Amino acid sequence: MSKHIQYGKTFGLFYDAYRKFCKENSPDGKPNSETPEMFRQWFIKNFVSSMDDATCCQLFLRDLNHELTHIYLKDENLMDFFKAVEIRDLEGIKTYIKDNGSSVVLNNDDLLENLTTGINFGICLHIPKKSQGFVFAYSLYDISNELRIFVNHGMEQYHISSNEIEDKKSIVYTDSEINEITKIALNLISYIYCFPECLVDGAPHDIKTQNNHYLNTSEKVVEAGERSEGGLVIPHFRRGYFKRLSSDFYKNKKGQIVFVHETIVNGTAKTLEER
């Protein structure tokens, strides 16, 4: 009998703190309808000192209420593909957030008093054989049209702005780790947008929550594969990038995201678009 694949957790520290809080503050030591708000007030009073702290707590409570989308990668190698694809266009990602997110009140700065409105879409990304998953919260601000991506990975949390992504001299490009994580966050959305058939309902055997999906690898991003010593197929991913079709030339596909990759035809590099 094959072993079950273990996936990295998200909000692990928050769930531990929440269970301990309920044990100490609930009449029977168990969660009830009042404990989420009690926990929020306790956490804000004792731990929140920045916009990122407040955002993380808010996302945890939304996850507690089954509002976040959980995605489990079927193939851990897909992470290498996300890290390799260069960032080209944010407009298609903003469109996806608009179409799939929820209207929320957003913090505008670390004072936690300057509030505004926007659209938010949250994903918990679980990776095979990794102890920690990623939490990505994409917030699109109504007035400025700025996209902010909140990142939580274990003990680390911070946000990335579309203003930084569009500035080639920003930390998004000078810090290799943040560059990789930015690519993962953006290319995950572009990939789902481009290949919606790869996102299927389902979850590992021990997951009891709602709104869970597996993410398969599209054959359109794979050139070929070789077998490792253990007999597993290791895919070779195509080099390319995601592109939003904005020209009127694409009458039926305008606004869609496609994957553009290079191939060699008669010794000459050509670009091909995959949808």
Side-chain angles (χ1 to χ4, degrees):
M1 182 176 178
S2 61
K3 294 182 179 179
H4 293 294
I5 297 175
Q6 297 297 315
Y7 281 88
K9 296 180 179 180
T10 53
F11 292 122
L13 295 176
F14 265 93
Y15 276 103
D16 289 343
Y18 182 68
R19 282 190 288 266
K20 182 178 179 181
F21 177 86
C22 292
K23 186 176 181 180
E24 296 176 351
N25 294 276
S26 176
D28 60 357
K30 298 179 180 179
N32 56 48
S33 60
E34 297 179 356
T35 50
E37 177 57 22
M38 291 168 57
F39 178 83
R40 185 189 71 82
Q41 294 179 12
W42 169 79
F43 187 86
I44 289 177
K45 180 180 179 180
N46 293 280
F47 300 102
V48 171
S49 60
S50 70
M51 177 175 63
D52 291 338
D53 294 335
T55 299
C56 197
C57 181
Q58 180 185 37
L59 286 169
F60 165 70
L61 293 174
R62 288 181 58 198
D63 191 50
L64 199 62
N65 200 38
H66 309 297
E67 294 178 16
L68 300 189
T69 297
H70 285 254
I71 294 178
Y72 297 82
L73 296 189
K74 273 295 189 69
D75 183 356
E76 61 187 300
N77 294 298
L78 194 55
M79 289 291 285
D80 295 329
F81 172 75
F82 292 152
K83 294 175 184 178
V85 175
E86 294 300 325
I87 303 166
R88 294 294 184 98
D89 178 33
L90 295 177
E91 293 307 311
I93 294 169
K94 290 180 179 181
T95 298
Y96 186 90
I97 302 307
K98 288 179 182 177
D99 292 344
N100 295 275
S102 303
S103 296
V104 294
V105 175
L106 298 167
N107 293 308
N108 218 15
D109 52 39
D110 283 342
L111 295 177
L112 305 179
E113 296 176 355
N114 188 9
L115 303 179
T116 186
T117 58
I119 305 293
N120 180 269
F121 182 69
I123 289 178
C124 294
L125 180 64
H126 303 267
I127 306 158
K129 305 173 186 177
K130 300 293 183 181
S131 61
Q132 298 289 343
F134 288 91
V135 178
F136 296 124
Y138 308 81
S139 297
L140 187 61
Y141 286 68
D142 287 336
I143 296 177
S144 65
N145 199 38
E146 177 190 1
L147 174 65
R148 291 184 188 175
I149 305 171
F150 172 82
V151 180
N152 173 266
H153 183 229
M155 295 289 290
E156 294 186 273
Q157 58 187 40
Y158 50 87
H159 72 269
I160 304 161
S161 167
S162 56
N163 297 330
E164 295 172 316
I165 296 170
E166 292 167 348
D167 178 3
K168 299 299 181 180
K169 296 181 180 180
S170 75
I171 192 172
V172 169
Y173 300 95
T174 59
D175 186 299
S176 59
E177 182 179 354
I178 291 181
N179 180 261
E180 277 195 351
I181 291 176
T182 302
K183 287 179 179 179
I184 294 170
L186 293 174
N187 290 324
L188 172 63
I189 293 293
S190 294
Y191 183 90
I192 295 171
Y193 200 162
C194 188
F195 307 116
E197 69 281 1
C198 290
L199 190 66
V200 298
D201 290 341
H205 74 288
D206 57 340
I207 302 299
K208 308 301 181 183
T209 57
Q210 304 173 19
N211 205 13
N212 299 304
H213 308 273
Y214 279 119
L215 188 62
N216 295 313
T217 301
S218 172
E219 61 181 15
K220 295 179 180 179
V221 302
V222 178
E223 288 283 9
E226 62 181 25
R227 291 191 178 275
S228 67
E229 293 182 359
L232 298 176
V233 176
I234 303 173
H236 287 175
F237 291 100
R238 290 174 171 172
R239 297 180 63 86
Y241 58 91
F242 290 103
K243 171 185 175 182
R244 180 174 178 267
L245 303 179
S246 57
S247 171
D248 291 335
F249 175 78
Y250 304 99
K251 293 182 179 179
N252 297 324
K253 293 187 176 182
K254 185 177 179 181
Q256 294 182 3
I257 286 182
V258 297
F259 179 64
V260 181
H261 68 91
E262 282 194 347
T263 188
I264 303 298
V265 179
N266 296 327
T268 304
K270 301 287 186 181
T271 58
L272 298 176
E273 295 176 350
E274 297 283 6
R275 174 67 173 89

